[in-house]
Amino acid sequence: MTFCFVVLADSQLGMMATNINRGIFIPKDDSLTAEKSYELEKQMLCKAVRCINKMQPKPVFVVVCGDLVDIFPNTEEQVRDFKTIMAQLDPSVALVCVCGNHDIGDRPTSATIAAYKERFGDDYFPFRQDSIKFLVLNSQLFKDSSLCPDLAKAHSDWIDKELASVSPGDRVIVFSHIPPCIHTPDEPDGYFNLSTSVRAHLFPRLIRAGAKAWFCGHFHRNSIAVVNGIGPDGIATTMEVVVNGAIGTNLTTRRGVSSDLELAHIGTFLLDEETSGLRVVTVTEEDISHQWFSLASLDDNKL
């Protein structure tokens, strides 16, 4: 068994334009306007799709780990542009969409989740490829479910059911928008991660069920954390949390701060092919490995 898939995160069409229009990001010169930044975000997503289509062997799917578009409630233009670009994927490559806070809101409701499902599909679901069970989570229900507690409970019950049904010898890979952690499993709570209480609840259950990797976005920077636990065979093992940089606009950490877990710790915004990129994940019988590629390192004929 060998197959690969591609991880994108935070296409978030319109992110740079929103921050330029609000005066949060002021370009150093007049060359980058809100309109030009939106076109650049679309061009970069288009390039990613072209490169993916040229891959040999083809990935079995492409997953976008949340924040598909920027403005919430979503604008039809951004939704339409995202769908138009992603429709150019080779028909043999499945598209897996993960909901983010810009897709359903920082405080989701049954109405915002229903709107997302109408546009993009289910907000959480399982699927399989060979002996790998994939779980797509709605991480916003962990972050703030105050306006939809019934949906959060249904989500939690579903996770319990899915983990209980993992077949012996199978491995689990998780996708979400918000990372459970960014650097270490015991790091403080922040805007960019899930709470320590959520981590303490999920980590041992996932690892006990055979989870080996959790891919996510939201941070707009690359990072990797390793979580220790006891596997299904009762032996100590690890799960890797892989935080994906954005295919769209990325962020830097403000100089002089001791933490990068809060919005206040953001330095500046980066929208260029040297920073934005994608991750190729290869799954074999023995291993799950991955490699990050900046868009600048790719051409339209090879990945």
Side-chain angles (χ1 to χ4, degrees):
M1 176 191 74
T2 298
F3 67 89
C4 69
F5 61 89
V6 175
V7 181
L8 306 177
D10 299 280
S11 46
Q12 204 165 337
L13 296 178
M15 176 180 173
M16 183 65 89
T18 296
N19 286 282
I20 290 175
N21 288 332
R22 291 177 178 175
I24 297 172
F25 174 72
I26 302 175
K28 294 180 179 179
D29 54 50
D30 295 332
S31 64
L32 185 65
T33 64
E35 293 76 15
K36 288 181 179 178
S37 73
Y38 187 70
E39 291 304 313
L40 183 55
E41 286 171 340
K42 290 195 296 182
Q43 291 168 18
M44 288 164 52
L45 186 58
C46 284
K47 179 174 181 178
V49 170
R50 291 195 303 270
C51 292
I52 291 167
N53 285 343
K54 296 291 185 178
M55 288 178 64
Q56 292 296 335
K58 287 281 191 296
V60 293
F61 64 86
V62 174
V63 58
V64 186
C65 284
D67 283 2
L68 315 179
V69 297
D70 181 65
I71 295 178
F72 177 83
N74 305 146
T75 68
E76 291 307 316
E77 177 187 18
Q78 292 179 0
V79 172
R80 182 183 65 248
D81 287 344
F82 175 83
K83 289 184 174 182
T84 298
I85 295 170
M86 299 312 293
Q88 301 307 307
L89 273 176
D90 187 287
S92 68
V93 180
L95 174 63
V96 178
C97 291
V98 181
C99 66
N101 57 303
H102 281 266
D103 303 313
I104 61 173
D106 289 328
R107 300 179 71 195
T109 67
S110 58
T112 65
I113 292 176
Y116 172 88
K117 292 167 72 172
E118 179 69 22
R119 291 184 174 108
F120 301 110
D122 288 339
D123 58 317
Y124 60 89
F125 53 93
F127 64 98
R128 293 188 64 85
Q129 178 67 36
D130 297 332
S131 61
I132 304 294
K133 182 167 191 170
F134 294 94
L135 296 179
V136 175
L137 308 184
N138 181 343
S139 54
Q140 210 58 37
L141 293 175
F142 294 126
K143 196 70 171 176
D144 187 344
S145 61
S146 57
L147 299 181
C148 54
D150 54 332
L151 297 183
K153 184 180 185 306
H155 181 247
S156 180
D157 291 345
W158 169 82
I159 293 173
D160 288 341
K161 178 182 176 182
E162 292 298 329
L163 294 181
S165 67
V166 176
S167 300
D170 284 0
R171 289 170 290 173
V172 176
I173 294 177
V174 182
F175 300 120
S176 72
H177 177 57
I178 300 176
C181 60
I182 293 170
H183 304 295
T184 62
D186 58 352
E187 67 195 19
D189 297 356
Y191 172 80
F192 284 111
N193 60 14
L194 296 178
S195 69
T196 50
S197 61
V198 169
R199 284 176 247 157
H201 181 62
L202 285 178
F203 282 162
R205 296 162 65 211
L206 286 167
I207 296 173
R208 174 67 75 175
K212 302 302 295 180
W214 183 333
F215 295 92
C216 37
H218 190 52
F219 191 51
H220 293 256
R221 286 152 280 185
N222 284 303
S223 187
I224 294 176
V226 177
V227 183
N228 296 311
I230 303 299
D233 55 4
I235 298 175
T237 187
T238 60
M239 177 181 72
E240 194 174 42
V241 175
V242 183
V243 186
N244 226 57
I247 187 61
T249 299
N250 280 279
L251 302 173
T252 66
T253 302
R254 183 160 56 88
R255 292 181 180 179
V257 298
S258 58
S259 170
D260 54 10
L261 301 178
E262 301 290 351
L263 283 172
H265 302 152
I266 293 173
T268 191
F269 298 75
L270 299 174
L271 182 57
D272 57 63
E273 292 195 359
E274 288 72 28
T275 311
S276 301
L278 54 83
R279 190 176 303 275
V280 177
V281 183
T282 301
V283 180
T284 67
E285 291 284 359
E286 297 79 24
D287 192 27
I288 299 171
S289 60
H290 51 87
Q291 183 175 356
W292 170 262
F293 295 91
S294 70
L295 283 176
S297 70
L298 305 176
D299 61 45
D300 288 351
N301 297 309
K302 185 178 180 181
L303 176 56

